[in-house]
Amino acid sequence: MKNIIIKDKKQYLILLKKLFDKCDSFKIVVPLNKIFSNVNNNSMPLIIQKLLPYSTNSENASTWPGTKVSRGQKKNYRIYTFKICSQTFDIMKKYSNFFDVKVENEIEYYTSFNEDIQLDISFFEDNNCIFYTTVHEGICMIEKELS
């Protein structure tokens, strides 16, 4: 795997198309404190609300590509798995990147999918991770042959 920088929406869309052509699923990690059980799912990040009809699985976890959570935070995250299809591509292509850099009071931090939240995403082919983000560190990693 190698680290890549996605500079603009054009590069994001080119990469997204490659990932959707090669992979069979993708996953998004959501902190459990961002998910509340209510009928309307209004507390869930908007991207998850949009993608939820295409979810094939969800599970609580403490590890995912690029991240292993410290002992005190075990299982405080939910990983949603989504199928690769034209509908999920249409949702994902509306964004400009997997994450954005924000600056507030001279402090730089990262947000995901136009929301004030950090959501890691990973793409898989036959259960092999081809691409993942570690948003809190501003990292995108990709298999060398896909880059």
Side-chain angles (χ1 to χ4, degrees), residues 28-121:
I28 298 179
V29 182
V30 181
L32 281 177
N33 65 351
K34 298 295 181 187
I35 303 171
F36 302 98
S37 55
N38 67 43
V39 176
N40 297 326
N41 289 327
N42 289 334
S43 299
M44 210 178 275
L46 186 57
I47 189 167
I48 301 298
Q49 291 179 50
K50 290 176 181 179
L51 290 168
L52 210 50
Y54 310 101
S55 178
T56 59
N57 187 39
S58 69
E59 61 187 335
N60 291 354
S62 57
T63 61
W64 55 91
T67 303
K68 183 176 181 182
V69 177
S70 63
R71 289 183 188 203
Q73 296 181 335
K74 291 278 185 199
K75 306 277 184 178
N76 284 341
Y77 297 85
R78 187 137 191 101
I79 298 178
Y80 290 88
T81 304
F82 302 98
K83 62 184 175 180
I84 296 284
C85 63
S86 61
Q87 293 88 348
T88 55
F89 182 79
D90 287 344
I91 292 166
M92 294 298 296
K93 76 179 184 182
K94 292 179 181 170
Y95 296 95
S96 60
N97 209 330
F98 295 107
F99 57 84
D100 296 300
V101 180
K102 303 285 184 182
V103 178
E104 188 173 301
N105 297 327
E106 299 181 22
I107 298 172
E108 186 175 277
Y109 66 99
Y110 300 94
T111 62
S112 302
F113 306 109
N114 303 330
E115 296 188 66
D116 192 18
I117 186 172
Q118 296 175 336
L119 304 173
D120 291 341
I121 189 169

Side-chain angles (χ1 to χ4, degrees), residues 1 25-29 59 61-69 79-81 119-125 127-137 139-143:
M1 302 281 277
S25 67
F26 65 100
K27 300 180 181 194
I28 298 179
V29 182
E59 61 187 335
S62 57
T63 61
W64 55 91
T67 303
K68 183 176 181 182
V69 177
I79 298 178
Y80 290 88
T81 304
L119 304 173
D120 291 341
I121 189 169
S122 49
F123 285 80
F124 294 83
E125 177 188 37
N127 291 321
N128 295 312
C129 184
I130 303 299
F131 172 88
Y132 70 85
T133 65
T134 306
V135 175
H136 73 276
E137 295 178 10
I139 293 174
C140 292
M141 299 295 289
I142 192 166
E143 279 296 327

